[in-house]
Amino acid sequence: MNTHSPLTILRVAVPSPLRRFFDYLPPKDGKLQAYEPGMRALVPFGKRNVVGVITAILSHTDIAVNKLKPIKRLLDEQPALPPSILTLCNWGIQYYHHSPGDVFKNALPLALRNESTPLIELVDTWQISTKSRLIELASLSRAPKQVNALTTLRNHPNGLTQTLLAGLDIKSPTLKALRDKGLVELHKKEQSYANWATDSVLRETCLTLNEQQQHAVNTVLNTDQPDNDSKLSFATFLLNGVTGSGKTEVYLQTIEHVLKAGKQALVLVPEIGLTPQTLHRFQQRFNVPVLALHSNLTANQRLSVWRQANAGSAAIIIGTRSALFTPMKHPGLIIIDEEHDLSYKQQDGFRYSARDMAIVRAKIEDIPIILGTATPSFESLHNAKEGRYYALPLTQRAGGAKLPTFEITDLRKAELKNGLCKTLIRSMKHELKQGNQILFFLNRRGYSPVLMCHDCGWNATCVMCDARMTYHRQPTHLHCHHCDYQSRINQHCPECNSTDLRAIGQGTERVDENLSELFPKTRIIRIDRDTTRRKEALENHLKQVNTGEPCILIGTQMLAKGHHFPHVTLVVISDIDSGLFASDFRATEHTAQLILQVAGRAGRAEKPGKVILQSHNPEHMVLQSLQQQNYSAFIQHALPERQLTGLPPYGYIAMLRAEAAHADIASRFLEQVVEQFNNMTSQTVEAWGPVPALMMRKAGRFRYQVMLRSNNRLFLHKAIAELLPRIEPLPDSRKVRWHLDVDPVQLD
Ligand code: ADP
Ligand code: ZN
Ligand code: ZN
């Protein structure tokens, strides 16, 4: 080997669960190439070739060079991922202690994980040939279509795409005929994307902002007068605005300035928050390309959005969690709508928080980020209090709408008809008579949560989980909502053979049935996962609601978020009690958020709204403080408890979970982990457990967990980094499925 030429080592993130990078040599063909981090490479891995991402180019490695394999080839001539996304991924690898390959797998569009998909889109482009410059058009006079095509192409000497020509009614037989005469040529050319005009970004006039909204926009844009040049730079803003306070209007008017500066905006919304309504609001406001990344897109459609964002021609990108990784050529702003929403945390594989990583990304790109919500997470409130985020409060509903009044109905000993309290039925009748709409919220689909034998007390449980099966009637079956196991219903109790099997409790199906009996003339629209399976079903239901005709909407949490129902004046919240007593330390936080979000659907327009919450525990602290519509009153009650226990936001936690076909294997493995942990010296970090998960058996597997906790984030991460290499060699680690969850949001 020539000692003067430095060695080139390519460090690659290879799709594999292993928590490490892999080093390779350049390909054998020895062609001189410029390697850059972010490039895709096809690399040999085990017996296969896989698509990896080059993350660094080094001149030495700890591995003996003769052990290194060369990559097969580079897939593209330029990096697929820009430096900002690379840095973001590297941060994620460190912070979540996760496998590099899996992190990059999340960051790369699905289509680009395939070696045969090109990074740059090549499109069929027709162009005039040299020969055609010389001929007289008159020589083609017997073929007017060809004359027309040739004239058009002569006016565009750089060529026109096949799609564009088709739009001009120039068809391919005509073009092929011209090609046969040697007059035009077909080339594959890089797709070029147009930019939007920055001087006419608005399609409609904006609303006049109220003082708090204007202050919010000015603060984010870093300008005090609206005509001042804004300086977009990194800062995190917590836009804490009550439901209906016009947060979206703040987003829109901030984005307007960003677009005028020629920059792009990335808007993340919760998984079920990306409604056609939301998208429509952005598209109606702006005269620029607004593209959505949602789960109904094919891999190729997603790639197309990704490419346009990367090229800078998509002005606004709206998407759910994974849209976080969409590169932008001219990044200007990131918005996280409903920042408290649980769907921002990925619950399997790479367990990242898109909200937290978005803040990291905004810092990397040096752009502002807005976290909007009516019910901030405790973490975000804490960060605002500590001065890490700027708080931008919106305390009033916009446009003169009032916050709804809140009423708690004591269900204890209440007289019921069709499972509903009689006073509630009266209120509903009254509302419908006034021509109003009602939203009935019940966060449980199916007919009833329990099917019980009246003679012996047997009830239907899942064979795979520690859970009851939900009874469904449309069609009739039992369904486990935890593992999706389904079974038929026997006419007889399997224990005592009685036929007196009874549905206990209410799901949305049953409420639908009950309300139809009580209000036979009223249209009832049920919106849950079962009634919206078909494409466009949700949209059609919402269209019906938006006609404004009196109706009763029954819905699960699908309906809780983001929707604007101007005609709903009464919101009924039913059966929320279980959330008040769950063992997850965040359960009350999540329940309070859900209640306020649902309540926020009432009275959003001219007519005032009312919320009736039915409970068997009307004195509960959460309900009492929310009755004043007061999230901060609730916080003041709930936060001290967190402080006492040292849980987030006062402490930092990570969860180690293990599951196995036998309970003792899972718990034994975690005991070994804790033993390893205790051998380490980090006294500032505690390990709690192992304890069984809240649902110990799920989908046929037994689940245990250990919580690692510290008052110091750095110490926690150091301990994890020291612990993981000790876990991986444990013999039992192969007998269980285990994972680490940093900043877990749900303890199930
Ligand atoms: P949020 O996102 O905070 O729940 P929205 O942005 O949906 O609230 O606004 C609620 C309603 O108030 C919408 O109909 C919106 O058009 C209206 N609105 C927002 N800002 C203003 C304003 N400054 N003046 C008048 N109406 C407004
Ligand atoms: Zn029985
Ligand atoms: Zn189950």
Side-chain angles (χ1 to χ4, degrees):
M1 190 176 61
N2 183 344
T3 48
H4 293 291
S5 80
L7 194 59
T8 301
I9 308 282
L10 304 173
R11 183 152 288 178
V12 180
V14 175
S16 114
L18 297 172
R19 285 184 175 76
R20 46 167 295 207
F21 292 95
F22 293 85
D23 290 343
Y24 288 88
L25 294 169
K28 276 215 184 92
D29 63 15
K31 245 195 313 182
L32 256 179
Q33 273 169 318
Y35 299 100
E36 283 178 67
M39 286 180 150
R40 294 187 303 156
L42 189 68
V43 302
F45 191 71
K47 292 198 177 95
R48 297 176 309 137
N49 290 328
V50 296
V51 175
V53 175
I54 298 176
T55 60
I57 293 101
L58 309 167
S59 54
H60 60 85
T61 166
D62 296 338
I63 297 167
V65 172
N66 59 10
K67 290 256 164 68
L68 293 180
K69 289 185 192 159
I71 66 167
K72 291 288 167 194
R73 62 187 166 92
L74 282 183
L75 294 184
D76 319 296
E77 280 165 20
Q78 61 249 74
L81 296 175
S84 58
I85 303 295
L86 273 176
T87 312
L88 182 67
C89 288
N90 282 322
W91 183 90
I93 293 164
Q94 293 276 322
Y95 185 82
Y96 293 102
H97 304 268
H98 197 67
S99 115
D102 201 40
V103 172
F104 279 97
K105 198 173 126 190
N106 277 269
L108 217 51
L110 180 64
L112 288 184
R113 292 177 220 157
N114 185 328
E115 61 176 290
S116 53
T117 313
L119 174 64
I120 308 281
E121 189 180 8
L122 297 175
V123 284
D124 285 341
T125 309
W126 292 92
Q127 203 172 0
I128 47 166
S129 66
T130 331
K131 178 179 166 194
S132 84
R133 289 170 214 265
L134 308 172
I135 70 145
E136 291 283 343
L137 282 179
S139 66
L140 295 172
S141 60
R142 303 232 319 270
K145 283 184 183 164
Q146 293 182 22
V147 173
N148 175 34
L150 203 57
T151 315
T152 308
L153 284 173
R154 276 183 168 179
N155 289 335
H156 297 88
N158 292 329
L160 290 173
T161 65
Q162 179 132 334
T163 333
L164 229 148
L165 287 163
L168 299 171
D169 211 23
I170 297 173
K171 307 251 164 66
S172 45
T174 315
L175 293 161
K176 280 180 185 147
L178 284 168
R179 180 175 62 182
D180 293 344
K181 293 179 185 161
L183 297 177
V184 302
E185 292 159 355
L186 180 62
H187 297 285
K188 292 255 181 222
K189 283 205 175 176
E190 255 184 44
Q191 171 76 284
S192 65
Y193 299 100
N195 270 346
W196 66 93
T198 54
D199 54 350
S200 57
V201 300
L202 284 183
R203 202 188 284 282
E204 58 172 19
T205 47
C206 308
L207 299 170
T208 310
L209 298 180
N210 65 35
E211 218 170 282
Q212 287 182 319
Q213 287 176 312
Q214 188 66 58
H215 171 72
V217 172
N218 291 352
T219 313
V220 175
L221 295 173
N222 206 357
T223 157
D224 292 313
Q225 273 88 48
D227 51 321
N228 253 14
D229 258 3
S230 64
K231 299 160 224 59
L232 297 173
S233 59
F234 172 66
T236 309
F237 301 93
L238 180 61
L239 182 66
N240 182 359
V242 298
T243 52
S245 59
K247 293 183 288 294
T248 313
E249 192 60 35
V250 170
Y251 302 157
L252 291 171
Q253 299 207 19
T254 312
I255 290 176
E256 180 194 331
H257 287 264
V258 169
L259 297 175
K260 283 179 174 161
K263 304 224 159 125
Q264 299 164 278
L266 173 66
V267 182
L268 297 193
V269 295
E271 235 143 54
I272 50 181
L274 185 51
T275 60
Q277 220 179 348
T278 315
L279 193 60
H280 182 71
R281 236 173 127 181
F282 283 80
Q283 285 170 336
Q284 192 170 304
R285 174 65 55 91
F286 297 115
N287 199 11
V288 300
V290 180
L291 299 185
L293 277 168
H294 52 78
S295 49
N296 280 344
L297 297 184
T298 65
N300 277 329
Q301 287 170 325
R302 292 185 79 88
L303 179 60
S304 164
V305 174
W306 187 91
R307 280 173 172 147
Q308 292 175 65
N310 198 16
S313 75
I316 303 172
I317 303 106
I318 306 184
T320 49
R321 185 176 61 231
S322 64
L324 163 73
F325 297 103
T326 316
M328 290 184 277
K329 192 169 182 195
H330 308 295
L333 174 70
I334 302 179
I335 290 170
I336 310 289
D337 189 29
E338 312 290 2
E339 65 88 21
H340 63 278
D341 198 90
L342 295 182
S343 71
Y344 286 124
K345 182 85 199 276
Q346 183 147 289
Q347 301 284 10
D348 52 16
F350 177 31
R351 292 176 157 77
Y352 67 99
S353 156
R355 174 196 62 203
D356 296 349
M357 284 191 81
I359 295 171
V360 174
R361 176 160 181 198
K363 193 166 182 186
I364 295 168
E365 314 251 29
D366 195 22
I367 56 173
I369 175 166
I370 305 176
L371 312 181
T373 175
T375 52
S377 63
F378 285 18
E379 280 82 355
S380 294
L381 279 174
H382 188 66
N383 281 323
K385 206 169 126 225
E386 300 279 296
R388 282 188 285 272
Y389 302 171
Y390 292 90
L392 300 170
L394 303 178
T395 51
Q396 308 288 324
R397 276 200 162 171
K402 293 271 175 305
L403 280 171
T405 56
F406 225 87
E407 208 174 88
I408 301 178
T409 311
D410 189 349
L411 277 185
R412 288 172 300 193
K413 299 188 191 147
E415 216 183 318
L416 301 182
K417 187 174 174 203
N418 290 46
L420 293 185
C421 180
K422 280 197 171 163
T423 53
L424 175 67
I425 298 172
R426 266 202 301 279
S427 303
M428 292 177 74
K429 274 201 178 124
H430 175 76
E431 222 57 51
L432 292 168
K433 223 186 242 160
Q434 311 278 314
N436 296 329
Q437 297 179 337
I438 299 172
L439 168 61
F440 193 107
F441 174 80
L442 174 64
N443 206 13
R444 187 190 296 126
R445 63 197 172 91
Y447 191 82
S448 77
V450 183
L451 185 69
M452 189 188 271
C453 168
H454 190 61
D455 289 341
C456 78
W458 167 90
N459 56 63
T461 52
C462 177
V463 291
M464 311 284 280
C465 306
D466 293 332
R468 292 201 176 100
M469 301 280 277
T470 301
Y471 170 39
H472 286 250
R473 277 202 178 167
Q474 297 163 347
T476 301
H477 71 290
L478 290 168
H479 196 153
C480 173
H481 290 179
H482 303 280
C483 72
D484 230 18
Y485 175 76
Q486 302 183 26
S487 70
R488 293 195 322 176
I489 299 174
N490 288 324
Q491 298 304 311
H492 301 271
C493 167
E495 296 285 329
C496 74
N497 221 23
S498 155
T499 50
D500 193 358
L501 299 182
R502 296 190 184 182
I504 312 288
Q506 306 222 355
T508 47
E509 256 182 48
R510 191 172 203 173
V511 169
D512 193 344
E513 183 183 286
N514 285 335
L515 289 176
S516 307
E517 267 169 39
L518 287 167
F519 303 96
K521 292 195 194 110
T522 306
R523 169 173 254 166
I524 298 193
I525 303 168
R526 171 158 65 96
I527 300 186
D528 57 27
R529 215 151 22 107
D530 297 318
T531 63
T532 52
R533 267 183 225 288
R534 273 178 301 115
K535 234 180 161 181
E536 269 134 47
L538 178 62
E539 219 169 314
N540 290 334
H541 284 311
L542 294 176
K543 256 188 216 144
Q544 280 184 19
V545 180
N546 285 330
T547 61
E549 268 173 55
C551 69
I552 303 175
L553 260 161
I554 303 171
T556 55
Q557 61 165 335
M558 280 186 87
L559 271 195
K561 296 168 195 174
H563 296 285
H564 187 59
F565 300 125
H567 308 283
V568 167
T569 53
L570 173 64
V571 167
V572 181
I573 301 178
S574 178
D575 228 332
I576 201 97
D577 287 0
S578 59
L580 302 173
F581 300 102
S583 16
D584 187 330
F585 73 92
R586 285 188 224 259
T588 50
E589 176 187 347
H590 295 156
T591 305
Q593 288 164 346
L594 188 57
I595 291 174
L596 282 183
Q597 292 291 338
V598 181
R601 301 312 111 206
R604 291 170 67 91
E606 300 83 40
K607 294 184 193 166
K610 179 169 158 183
V611 179
I612 299 179
L613 193 146
Q614 309 194 84
S615 171
H616 281 98
N617 303 276
E619 289 95 20
H620 194 283
M621 174 277 287
V622 172
L623 302 186
Q624 283 301 318
S625 48
L626 292 186
Q627 185 161 23
Q628 326 301 328
Q629 287 274 326
N630 202 332
Y631 190 60
S632 51
F634 158 69
I635 302 280
Q636 265 143 36
H637 267 98
L639 268 181
E641 206 174 301
R642 294 275 185 95
Q643 196 155 19
L644 275 177
T645 46
L647 289 168
Y650 298 98
Y652 302 92
I653 59 174
M655 198 68 92
L656 259 162
R657 302 195 184 93
E659 54 175 66
H662 297 284
D664 37 337
I665 295 182
S667 67
R668 191 179 68 200
F669 166 72
L670 287 178
E671 273 158 24
Q672 291 165 4
V673 170
V674 172
E675 200 180 304
Q676 290 295 324
F677 176 84
N678 290 336
N679 289 341
M680 305 181 345
T681 47
S682 43
Q683 286 157 355
T684 48
V685 181
E686 302 153 14
W688 299 353
V691 292
L694 297 182
M695 184 182 294
M696 177 154 102
R697 199 167 65 100
K698 188 172 170 182
R701 300 179 70 85
F702 291 86
R703 306 148 76 229
Y704 278 80
Q705 55 198 24
V706 172
M707 187 194 276
L708 303 176
R709 196 208 73 83
S710 177
N711 288 332
N712 182 306
R713 197 196 289 271
L714 196 67
F715 291 165
L716 175 67
H717 282 268
K718 276 193 175 153
I720 294 171
E722 193 181 336
L723 181 61
L724 288 176
R726 294 169 179 247
I727 298 180
E728 276 154 3
L730 289 176
D732 277 348
S733 75
R734 286 167 200 287
K735 297 187 193 144
V736 300
R737 265 192 236 145
W738 68 274
H739 69 257
L740 175 77
D741 188 355
V742 175
D743 304 334
V745 294
Q746 262 174 320
L747 314 180
D748 60 343

